[in-house]
Amino acid sequence: MDKVIITVAPTGNVPTKDINLFTPITPEEIAKDVYLCYKKGASVAHIHARDDMGKPTSDKEVFREIATKIKEYCDIVIQFSTGARGGKLEGRKACLALKPEMASLSVGSSNFPNSVNYNPPSFIEDLAQEMIRFNIKPEIEIFDLSMVDNAIYLISKGLIKEPAHFNLVLNVPGSLKGHPENLLLLKQRLPGNSTWSVSAIGRSHHNLSAMGLLLGGNVRVGLEDVVEIEKGKPVSNVELVDRIVGLSRELGRDIASPAETRQILALS
Ligand code: ZN
């Protein structure tokens, strides 16, 4: 099986230091945490930005600062989030002008616990076109089976280039549950030449990550997806990466370096 690409999603839009004291919020905290995760085996960093108050922001300058600092530390692949919790539609694509190697691309709408994962068709196409323009590899975010079919439609229209890369997000309250059958179904419906990772939220995290590894997929870990493994005991990004590296090796999967990741994902 291919080496496994470990993505770390250190911050997300939801965690705060009150929820988990290890949550990196400032650009410096995020860059340092990403570097420590890189040293443990992470080869992609999925980045969300926060403002001075610690609230989610799509401010391009904050993304720039985070990326600049990360690049001072290491050559990890940087992936910016364009997700719905980042704010108003127009602002969400601003960070693409910085030409990160990758960016997230949601291909449908769904619900988060307290808000809508709002991605209207024209906006999805606009984001996809911007990614082609700036030569950014999209990570297609899948929260529901219908989104796989919509991604295939976008590929057929030339708005997403093949081979496509998917992130199968499971167990977000309001979206597809973290059942093993759901992961298997999503995986089976992907175009055959795709690469994919699993991003299992909360309690489903470890088991579905293991299943993803066994199925030949890649894994995303980090406080964006899971803030504790044991009830009441906050976990750090570094611990989460360390844990998945150990599990990968136990299951016979070696860890991809950033250079190998660029090759596997056909990044240019
Ligand atoms: Zn995200």
Side-chain angles (χ1 to χ4, degrees):
M1 261 193 264
D2 269 346
K3 290 190 175 182
V4 58
I5 299 165
I6 295 174
T7 297
V8 63
T11 305
N13 281 323
V14 178
T16 60
K17 288 197 195 290
D18 287 339
I19 293 172
N20 179 315
L21 74 167
F22 298 116
T23 312
I25 302 288
T26 67
E28 185 62 36
E29 286 174 348
I30 292 171
K32 274 192 180 142
D33 213 20
V34 163
Y35 175 59
L36 295 175
C37 292
Y38 154 86
K39 287 214 291 190
K40 289 283 182 188
S43 59
V44 179
H46 171 83
I47 298 299
H48 286 255
R50 303 287 185 95
D51 64 16
D52 290 342
M53 304 298 289
K55 299 262 183 296
T57 178
S58 51
D59 185 342
K60 191 170 90 180
E61 293 314 310
V62 185
F63 276 100
R64 189 198 303 276
E65 195 181 343
I66 296 169
T68 304
K69 284 181 188 291
I70 290 174
K71 284 178 192 165
E72 282 167 14
Y73 286 121
C74 60
D75 68 340
I76 197 166
V77 175
I78 296 176
Q79 178 189 101
F80 286 160
S81 169
T82 64
R85 282 161 164 154
K88 296 215 167 69
L89 285 183
E90 203 45 36
R92 284 167 50 190
K93 70 174 186 185
C95 64
L96 299 181
L98 300 173
K99 302 182 185 173
E101 283 182 271
M102 299 182 76
S104 67
L105 176 65
S106 292
V107 288
S109 298
S110 59
N111 279 346
F112 292 132
N114 301 309
S115 61
V116 178
N117 181 16
Y118 180 59
N119 301 293
S122 58
F123 179 66
I124 295 169
E125 297 198 2
D126 194 19
L127 273 182
Q129 256 154 357
E130 288 283 278
M131 290 190 203
I132 286 176
R133 179 176 157 217
F134 292 124
N135 202 17
I136 298 166
K137 174 109 182 188
E139 177 179 90
I140 305 164
E141 307 297 328
I142 299 296
F143 293 77
D144 198 355
L145 183 56
S146 61
M147 296 184 191
V148 174
D149 293 325
N150 197 39
I152 292 168
Y153 168 72
L154 293 167
I155 290 169
S156 77
K157 282 184 75 179
L159 287 165
I160 295 175
K161 287 191 205 163
E162 289 193 286
H165 179 67
F166 291 83
N167 185 39
L168 310 178
V169 186
L170 286 148
N171 217 36
V172 171
S175 295
L176 208 54
K177 267 265 185 203
H179 290 308
E181 295 86 342
N182 288 342
L183 175 56
L184 198 57
L185 182 62
L186 291 177
K187 190 249 171 201
Q188 285 167 340
R189 296 299 299 268
L190 301 178
N193 57 354
S194 313
T195 50
W196 59 279
S197 65
V198 59
S199 178
I201 311 301
R203 291 165 67 96
S204 70
H205 182 70
H206 204 58
N207 291 351
L208 286 187
S209 298
M211 188 174 161
L213 288 168
L214 289 170
L215 290 171
N218 305 289
V219 182
R220 186 174 99 176
V221 301
L223 298 186
E224 175 165 351
D225 298 341
V226 61
V227 292
E228 59 180 34
I229 297 288
E230 274 176 62
K231 193 93 190 121
K233 205 173 150 207
V235 69
S236 70
N237 284 307
V238 176
E239 277 178 84
L240 287 168
V241 172
D242 208 23
R243 208 160 178 259
I244 205 71
V245 166
L247 182 63
S248 302
R249 295 212 166 108
E250 272 176 46
L251 296 175
R253 302 279 308 274
D254 285 332
I255 311 302
S257 67
E260 289 163 337
T261 293
R262 288 182 171 94
Q263 209 162 26
I264 296 167
L265 298 180
L267 303 182
S268 43

